[in-house]
Amino acid sequence: LRERVRAGEITFGAFASVASPTATELMGRSGLDWIILDLEHSTLTETDVLAGIYALQTTPATALVRVEEATRLRIGRALDFGAEGLMLPRLETLDEVRAAMSWIRFPPEGIRGLALSTRGAGKGEVAHADVHRLNESILGVFQVESPVAVANASGIAAIDGVDVLFVGPADLSHSMGIPGEVTNPAFIEALETVSAACRDHGKAAGILLYDATAFGPHL
C-alpha cells in the first residue's frame, strides 16, 4: 500500500469500529484498499486489534491502526502486532511529528524498539542485518485536525516518512469554530492549504468522506 500511495494512486478504505474479526474480515473482502482498526473512537481494545489484523491479513486489504495517542508505547505495540501502517491523531507541530516518526522506524531511520519475536518484526524470520528494511513498508498517516496543524501542513509534509496528511473534518471544523460547516469558505481554504502542501512535497492528501462527491475539487 505504501508504494501505491507514494506513486500517487488514489485508494479507498474504511474504519473498523466493532470488536468483531468476522465483520473486519468481511470489510477486507469488500474491495476496499485498506481498513483502519480504530483505537481512538471505537469499542476496540488492543486485543481486538490483534484479532482484527489476523483477520485482515487473510484478505486483499491492508491492515492499518489508528492509535489512541501518538506515544512510543502505543505506536510500538500496534506495529509489533503486525499493523502495516498507522494513523496518528492530534499532532500539530513539526517536533511532535518528528518524534512520532522516530518511534515508527527501526534504526537507523528511527528509534523504534526491537523484539525479533514479534509479528511486526517477522516472528524471528528476519535477521538483524535486515530489520531496517521493514521500515520501507510501513505507511505513515498523520491527521490534520486543528488550525495549528493546517498552518504547519507544509512543514509536516516535508518530513521524510510522512506519507499522508489526512484531514479529520469533524475535529477540524469544530476547532475552527465552525462545527460541521464543511462547505464554509474558511474550511475549504484549510483543505486547499493541506492539499497544496501535499502536492508541493509529493505526499498524499486524505479525508473522511461524508459522500462520494464531497471535497473532490479541493484535495
Side-chain angles (χ1 to χ4, degrees):
L1 179 65
R2 189 176 189 226
E3 289 182 1
R4 294 169 61 194
V5 168
R6 288 163 66 91
E9 182 177 341
I10 296 174
T11 64
F12 294 90
F15 288 80
S17 301
V18 179
S20 168
T22 300
T24 300
E25 181 182 0
L26 289 173
M27 292 177 72
R29 295 183 183 278
S30 70
L32 295 169
D33 299 295
W34 44 266
I35 303 295
I36 295 177
L37 297 157
D38 188 8
L39 282 169
E40 186 187 21
H41 294 300
S42 77
T43 64
L44 272 64
T45 66
E46 286 190 343
T47 300
D48 299 320
V49 165
L50 178 58
I53 291 173
Y54 277 125
L56 285 174
Q57 290 179 340
T58 69
T59 79
T62 298
L64 308 179
V65 173
R66 177 161 68 175
V67 295
E68 305 98 313
E69 58 183 357
T71 58
R72 184 182 70 85
L73 288 178
R74 298 280 70 78
I75 287 171
R77 284 183 64 78
L79 292 174
D80 281 353
F81 287 167
E84 297 165 90
L86 297 180
M87 174 177 276
L88 304 181
R90 309 307 301 181
L91 297 178
E92 295 184 322
T93 70
L94 275 63
D95 285 344
E96 289 173 340
V97 172
R98 290 191 186 103
M101 283 305 316
S102 74
W103 301 323
I104 290 175
R105 310 290 181 203
F106 290 120
E109 289 87 357
I111 57 171
R112 175 182 168 189
L114 173 63
L116 291 177
S117 61
T118 62
R119 297 187 74 245
K123 284 287 187 182
E125 296 178 352
V126 178
H128 279 285
D130 297 323
V131 165
H132 69 280
R133 296 179 184 171
L134 298 174
N135 293 336
E136 299 170 5
S137 63
I138 301 299
L139 183 71
V141 182
F142 290 77
Q143 291 199 258
V144 178
E145 302 176 284
S146 73
V148 174
V150 171
N152 288 328
S154 182
I156 293 171
I159 295 173
D160 187 35
V162 174
D163 300 310
V164 183
L165 295 186
F166 193 100
V167 174
D171 277 313
L172 180 56
S173 65
H174 278 255
S175 65
M176 293 176 66
I178 49 173
E181 296 180 29
V182 296
T183 59
N184 187 296
F187 185 84
I188 297 303
E189 182 180 359
L191 288 189
E192 292 177 342
T193 296
V194 174
S195 182
C198 291
R199 286 195 302 271
D200 289 346
H201 296 285
K203 305 301 175 65
I207 196 167
L208 177 68
L209 291 177
Y210 294 115
D211 62 60
T213 60
F215 311 127
H218 308 290
L219 286 174

